Amino acid sequence: MSDPLFMVKTAFYIGNYRQCVKEAQKLQLGDQSLDLECDILMYRAYLAEGKYNLVLGEVQSRSGPEFLALVLLAKIMQNPSNKDAIVSEVGNVLNEGAASLCPDIVALLCANVYLQAGDYESTLRVTNSASSLECHALAVQTLIQMNRVDIATKEMKKMQEIDEDATVSQLALAALNIAMADAKSVQTAYYVYQELADKFEPTAILLNGQAVCFLLQGKPEQAEDVLQKALDKDGGHPETLINLSIVSQFLGAKDSAKRYISQVKDSHPNHPYVTRLEEKEKIFDELSSALLSNR
């Protein structure tokens, strides 16, 4: 049976957020759970574009744990410094969501809140309680971030048993192969990104995936070419700017590297990469000051 939300989901997964919104707004499914899932995907696309106030303005008055979870996700993405207060509300939403119309959606959104907060254990606890492909994919992503490729591989096998051809399964497979980092795995990841780009559209997410593959293969020039194409599609895409900074350092273009990082800091000050970078810069400055004062 075909998935009536296939195009909406695919557009979201590959990062074509405008198309996701467009497809979602066209659909009139006449099924309460599908209509709800479609709305949530549309709002998640808006969140991915950084339109937090739009989402909060439209969903805070809507009832149901799905929208309560969406509000929490919007709030933590907009203001990660307030993560403790936001995370403290997740448990109640999860309890309410267990008997909701779409419990897997509630679990997915709440797991994303935990992931945004850096609470990997809670993220995995929630994803393990759900059965959707995207929850499995989020578990794979989390385990990769924890450097547990061995367990991520087992989770990937579960996804393949459910539907190995699904777009979200293919993207999870590509991410896992990049994490493995051996030549064969990296080449497999590149082919996955290329196939999805050929089948749908070469979005910034897919092009960044290819660029990372090129970097792991020791081909920074090719990585830069692909990233420039991604930049042409979305001049403010943070991962593109971050990866261009890394590639520029490989190529010895230090001024360009600094320029790209400055752009990310200006346009996405709450991005996890920026937060980690500023924390390290602060530690470096403190150590430098301590060394100078001891002279």
Side-chain angles (χ1 to χ4, degrees):
M1 182 178 177
S2 61
D3 184 352
L5 294 177
F6 175 79
M7 292 307 300
V8 181
K9 290 178 179 178
T10 298
F12 178 78
Y13 295 146
I14 67 173
N16 191 346
Y17 302 120
R18 291 181 186 177
Q19 185 65 27
C20 174
V21 170
K22 183 179 178 181
E23 292 288 339
Q25 290 176 335
K26 287 192 305 183
L27 289 180
Q28 296 290 334
L29 299 169
D31 179 281
Q32 191 177 2
S33 62
L34 286 174
D35 285 335
L36 177 58
E37 186 176 2
C38 185
D39 281 351
I40 296 294
L41 282 163
M42 180 185 70
Y43 286 123
R44 289 174 68 197
Y46 280 131
L47 289 181
E49 292 182 320
K51 297 176 180 177
Y52 311 123
N53 289 329
L54 182 154
V55 174
L56 290 170
E58 291 194 12
V59 307
Q60 280 185 311
S61 61
R62 298 184 67 170
S63 61
E66 293 85 1
F67 291 108
L68 290 174
L70 188 65
V71 167
L72 294 181
L73 181 57
K75 286 182 176 180
I76 199 168
M77 291 176 72
Q78 184 179 46
N79 187 14
S81 62
N82 198 32
K83 65 180 181 181
D84 291 340
I86 296 167
V87 165
S88 68
E89 300 181 45
V90 174
N92 290 334
V93 176
L94 279 171
N95 290 336
E96 188 175 341
S100 68
L101 185 64
C102 300
D104 276 1
I105 290 177
V106 178
L108 176 65
L109 294 171
C110 288
N112 269 289
V113 173
Y114 281 130
L115 186 60
Q116 289 282 333
D119 187 346
Y120 297 147
E121 289 187 8
S122 294
T123 303
L124 292 174
R125 173 174 52 79
V126 175
T127 56
N128 288 340
S129 71
S131 59
S132 70
L133 266 178
E134 198 176 350
C135 278
H136 284 298
L138 189 61
V140 171
Q141 176 188 340
T142 304
L143 289 163
I144 290 172
Q145 290 182 224
M146 295 172 68
N147 295 316
R148 292 306 308 265
V149 174
D150 54 333
I151 307 178
T153 301
K154 295 177 182 178
E155 194 71 27
M156 187 70 241
K157 289 179 180 177
K158 295 178 184 177
M159 294 186 70
Q160 291 172 324
E161 288 172 0
I162 298 170
D163 188 352
E164 65 179 346
D165 295 325
T167 304
V168 68
S169 298
Q170 290 296 301
L171 287 168
L173 178 64
L176 180 59
N177 275 285
I178 284 177
M180 291 176 175
D182 61 275
K184 183 179 179 181
S185 297
V186 171
Q187 191 63 44
T188 297
Y190 177 85
Y191 287 142
V192 170
Y193 291 124
Q194 186 61 55
E195 183 178 347
L196 290 173
D198 291 341
K199 187 175 181 180
F200 301 111
E201 181 185 343
T203 61
I205 284 180
L206 299 179
L207 291 169
N208 270 269
Q210 290 185 318
V212 172
C213 293
F214 279 134
L215 272 178
L216 290 172
Q217 292 171 333
K219 302 173 181 178
E221 292 85 1
Q222 287 94 322
E224 184 180 35
D225 289 343
V226 171
L227 289 170
Q228 287 296 337
K229 292 178 182 177
L231 199 63
D232 290 340
K233 287 183 170 292
D234 184 352
H237 191 254
E239 279 70 30
T240 302
L241 295 169
I242 292 166
N243 285 328
L244 275 168
S245 173
I246 294 169
V247 168
S248 296
Q249 292 179 56
F250 270 97
L251 297 174
K254 294 182 179 179
D255 289 341
S256 294
K258 291 179 181 178
R259 190 178 307 116
Y260 289 127
I261 288 299
S262 294
Q263 286 181 252
V264 181
K265 287 182 175 180
D266 288 341
S267 59
H268 295 82
N270 293 326
H271 192 282
Y273 181 89
V274 173
T275 302
R276 290 194 299 269
L277 182 62
E278 290 179 341
E279 288 174 353
K280 291 176 182 178
E281 288 174 343
K282 182 180 179 181
I283 292 171
F284 178 81
D285 290 342
E286 290 172 351
L287 288 173
S288 297
S289 297
L291 287 171
L292 289 172
S293 64
N294 289 331
R295 285 185 177 180

